[in-house]
Amino acid sequence: MCRDGLPQQMSYGMTIEDQKPEPPILIAVPNSIDSGGIDIYHLPSENRAAVINSDRDITTGMVMSLSIQAETTRIQVIAGYESGHTMVFVQNDPGAEFQKLYSAKPHTQPILAVAIFPSGDFYATSAADAIVAKHPLPAATSIWKTELRPIKVNQTKHSGQQGLQIRSDGKLFATAGWDSRIRVYSGKTLRELAVLKWHKSGCYATAFAEIIEPSNNLKLEEVTIKEEPIEEDKSVVRRSSAVTTVQKRRDQKARSTHWLVAASKDGKISLWDIF
């Protein structure tokens, strides 16, 4: 079973004033015939936009996980394979063939998840083995200056980590474990920072809430009510205003909290407030 590449919108630098149709959405999926190949489909037309054939020089086995990144006319596809290999492919112009820019085998077991860092310079992998790894995401112009090996590899001693997701600030990523644990790692050093225990069965997916920077416009002041006789109708308005302010404060706290959610085979979803 493969984790498909999530849809990505291609940015053409359009503004609202252009009044043009929205850019197309691309989704990467395993090829239905070539188990090591990749198909890229265009939505909403549902037409196949491109094909990446399986590698003829390396026995990769099936495609296990995919991620796709599109910028203007340039498309990058990151793949994780049954053999433990991971590869990066790029298409610089529409209609051109995809070129392989990076290939590495940091894992001894099938790769279960690949995820791109928000900066677009790196990506991470986790697998059925106990390794999590961080890789370069090379540009076509810099590939010959990039060492073809992972940047960091961490032997975690905990096999079966999947559902790898990276937080929007790139500082943390999380994995869902077969051992029912959710693990949080540093995006820079890959060091394990936290182990979250609650589920009774294996975990399959994780997701972070987007980090929202505090805004001065949302800053709320404490409401004080003077102890002085006031008319009844004004008292009602004053109490209503205080309740509204408290609700806004709660909403602001919920938006600014660093949430992490996980899902498990036990049919339950857990929500965590982390650093």
Side-chain angles (χ1 to χ4, degrees):
M1 183 173 65
C2 169
R3 183 180 177 88
D4 297 341
L6 298 177
Q8 295 275 333
Q9 288 190 343
M10 296 183 68
S11 174
Y12 292 98
M14 295 192 304
T15 63
I16 297 177
E17 290 75 12
D18 292 332
Q19 297 297 323
K20 294 181 180 179
E22 292 185 0
I25 294 175
L26 300 176
I27 183 169
V29 298
N31 187 283
S32 57
I33 299 176
D34 181 4
S35 62
I38 302 166
D39 288 335
I40 299 174
Y41 284 91
H42 171 281
L43 297 176
S45 70
E46 301 182 9
N47 294 326
R48 187 166 66 176
V51 177
I52 301 175
N53 295 319
S54 59
D55 197 295
R56 302 306 178 190
D57 300 322
I58 302 174
T59 303
T60 61
M62 295 186 297
V63 175
M64 300 295 294
S65 185
L66 290 167
S67 187
I68 184 171
Q69 179 173 263
E71 299 174 355
T72 61
T73 59
R74 186 172 185 268
I75 303 172
Q76 281 184 316
V77 176
I78 296 90
Y81 295 92
E82 184 181 11
S83 62
H85 284 88
T86 179
M87 298 181 182
V88 177
F89 304 91
V90 66
Q91 182 191 60
N92 289 310
D93 297 298
E97 291 188 1
F98 275 84
Q99 298 178 344
K100 182 175 69 175
L101 295 188
Y102 174 80
S103 176
K105 189 179 183 296
H107 302 279
T108 59
Q109 296 292 324
I111 292 178
L112 301 179
V114 297
I116 302 173
F117 278 79
S119 65
D121 297 328
F122 312 100
Y123 72 99
T125 58
S126 64
D129 58 19
I131 290 173
V132 292
K134 184 177 181 180
H135 308 264
L137 195 56
T141 56
S142 65
I143 180 60
W144 304 115
K145 300 179 182 179
T146 304
E147 294 185 20
L148 299 181
R149 61 184 180 85
I151 297 172
K152 289 183 181 293
V153 175
N154 180 14
Q155 171 55 260
T156 68
K157 301 181 181 179
H158 303 288
S159 59
Q161 298 187 64
Q162 55 192 353
L164 189 154
Q165 292 292 321
I166 302 171
R167 200 166 69 177
S168 59
D169 60 1
K171 293 181 179 180
L172 303 177
F173 68 88
T175 61
W178 292 350
D179 60 358
S180 75
R181 307 290 191 258
I182 301 101
R183 290 182 167 82
V184 180
Y185 296 91
S186 165
K188 182 177 181 180
T189 65
L190 304 191
R191 185 170 63 90
E192 185 180 280
L193 302 178
V195 180
L196 310 179
K197 305 176 183 180
W198 184 76
H199 292 283
K200 303 301 182 183
S201 300
C203 296
Y204 287 91
T206 64
F208 283 101
E210 183 179 359
I211 299 296
I212 300 176
E213 296 296 332
S215 172
N216 293 331
N217 296 330
L218 296 177
K219 190 174 182 180
L220 302 173
E221 301 293 339
E222 294 289 339
V223 175
T224 57
I225 302 177
K226 295 181 179 180
E227 297 181 358
E228 59 182 16
I230 56 176
E231 298 179 9
E232 185 176 354
D233 57 343
K234 291 184 179 180
S235 177
V236 173
V237 173
R238 183 71 63 84
R239 292 193 189 98
S240 176
S241 176
V243 171
T244 302
T245 302
V246 171
Q247 183 61 49
K248 287 182 178 179
R249 188 179 296 110
R250 290 174 179 172
D251 292 344
Q252 181 188 0
K253 182 178 180 180
R255 288 194 297 267
S256 60
T257 299
H258 297 171
W259 297 112
L260 170 62
V261 65
S264 167
K265 184 180 177 181
D266 58 19
K268 298 177 181 179
I269 295 174
S270 58
L271 185 63
W272 305 83
D273 176 4
I274 63 172
F275 38 83

